[in-house]
């Protein structure tokens, strides 16, 4: 069964490179990113894990914990991490779930039989502090992900959770945002006292509120 936006992220207990974890307990009050890759000791995955390791401080700034997964066992992840550090220059600084029996992969529908019936696809799940799924992404094995985009989405999710705004195409933190269509002009006067640009009656641009 696919995991969809707004669902409670399936909980699990699993071995990781940093010891056994219970997922919901491990998340605590943080935001979380759970991402899968197809296989250890493969080239695109090596660059992805190194990139995430190098961005750890950016995830920390956003109160976001990151955890990886593939259907390889933990001892394989541990061996592979030596290569990743050598290639990228940053040690893998987040836990990697070993899932050889695919129990977590199945809960999150990370095996897409028509792509490959044994390997996990490149899935991403962003999970809020309420344990609800806020974003899902699926990439094929041949395309490495852009983890700056994941950070950008977290910025948008965290902003829009706290303020009645939405973020436009290609928005990055600090740029103008859109007043939520559900907010009337009357209410917007109180919520956005600095005003807004009425591009269209349904498209009202305003300064980012938490700046
Ligand atoms: C890779 O990470 O390079 C990869 C993994 C599985 C299939 C194809 C590529």
């Amino acid at each position: 069964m696919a995991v969809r936006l707004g669902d409670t992220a399936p909980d699990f207990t699993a071995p990781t490179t940093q010891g056994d974890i219970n997922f919901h307990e491990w998340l605590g009050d943080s935001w979380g990113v759970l991402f899968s890759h197809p296989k250890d000791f493969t080239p695109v995955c090596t660059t992805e894990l190194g990139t995430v390791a190098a961005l750890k401080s950016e995830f920390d700034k956003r109160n976001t914990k990151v955890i990886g997964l593939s259907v390889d066992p933990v001892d394989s992840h541990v061996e592979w991490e030596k290569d990743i550090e050598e290639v990228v220059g940053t040690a893998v600084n987040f836990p990697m779930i070993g899932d050889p029996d695919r129990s977590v992969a199945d809960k999150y529908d990370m095996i897409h039989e028509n792509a490959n019936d044994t390997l996990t696809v490149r899935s991403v799940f962003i999970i809020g502090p309420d344990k609800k799924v806020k974003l899902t992404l699926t990439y094929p094995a041949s395309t490495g992900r852009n983890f700056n985009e994941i950070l950008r989405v977290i910025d948008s999710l965290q902003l829009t959770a706290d303020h009645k705004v939405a973020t436009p195409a290609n928005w990055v933190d600090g740029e103008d945002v859109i007043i939520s269509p559900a907010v009337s002009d009357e209410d917007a006067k109180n919520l956005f006292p600095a005003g807004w640009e009425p591009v269209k009656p349904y498209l009202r641009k305003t300064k980012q509120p938490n700046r």
Side-chain angles (χ1 to χ4, degrees):
M1 179 79 172
V3 175
R4 305 182 73 177
L5 301 191
D7 291 353
T8 298
D11 198 16
F12 57 84
T13 298
T16 83
T17 49
Q18 297 184 3
D20 289 357
I21 63 149
N22 169 264
F23 188 49
H24 282 193
E25 276 175 22
W26 176 82
L27 283 169
D29 295 330
S30 301
W31 288 71
V33 175
L34 168 64
F35 72 108
S36 58
H37 60 272
K39 196 164 177 50
D40 293 359
F41 299 100
T42 51
V44 177
C45 301
T46 299
T47 63
E48 286 195 323
L49 268 67
T51 298
V52 174
L55 287 172
K56 172 82 163 46
S57 62
E58 292 298 322
F59 287 103
D60 288 347
K61 264 192 232 166
R62 292 161 175 84
N63 186 30
T64 301
K65 293 182 173 176
V66 178
I67 191 162
L69 175 148
S70 81
V71 289
D72 293 303
V74 164
D75 56 358
S76 165
H77 294 339
V78 170
E79 276 309 301
W80 179 38
E81 286 185 357
K82 296 175 192 162
D83 284 1
I84 297 170
E85 182 169 6
E86 185 189 319
V87 170
V88 187
T90 310
V92 176
N93 44 22
F94 54 88
M96 295 276 297
I97 299 163
D99 192 34
D101 69 1
R102 306 186 201 178
S103 58
V104 181
D106 284 342
K107 281 189 172 183
Y108 280 83
D109 195 29
M110 290 167 166
I111 302 213
H112 294 198
E113 284 79 5
N114 292 331
N116 187 305
D117 62 1
T118 53
L119 304 181
T120 32
V121 291
R122 295 187 199 282
S123 298
V124 182
F125 298 89
I126 300 181
I127 296 152
D130 57 0
K131 312 290 182 294
K132 302 285 185 201
V133 174
K134 308 294 183 185
L135 169 134
T136 67
L137 279 177
T138 307
Y139 277 48
S142 52
T143 304
R145 288 157 286 195
N146 182 337
F147 289 93
N148 289 316
E149 168 63 1
I150 306 300
L151 291 168
R152 190 191 75 87
V153 174
I154 294 169
D155 287 339
S156 173
L157 289 169
Q158 293 183 344
L159 177 70
T160 59
D162 290 342
H163 301 275
K164 292 186 172 172
V165 297
T167 58
N170 293 344
W171 173 87
V172 288
D173 190 40
E175 291 182 354
D176 287 355
V177 300
I178 293 168
I179 298 174
S180 171
V183 175
S184 67
D185 280 354
E186 206 45 44
D187 290 344
K189 282 180 199 153
N190 295 323
L191 290 170
F192 306 98
W196 61 87
E197 179 196 350
V199 182
K200 288 282 179 190
Y202 55 83
L203 172 50
R204 299 165 293 176
K205 286 202 164 176
T206 192
K207 296 285 170 215
Q208 183 171 324
N210 61 351
R211 288 267 152 164

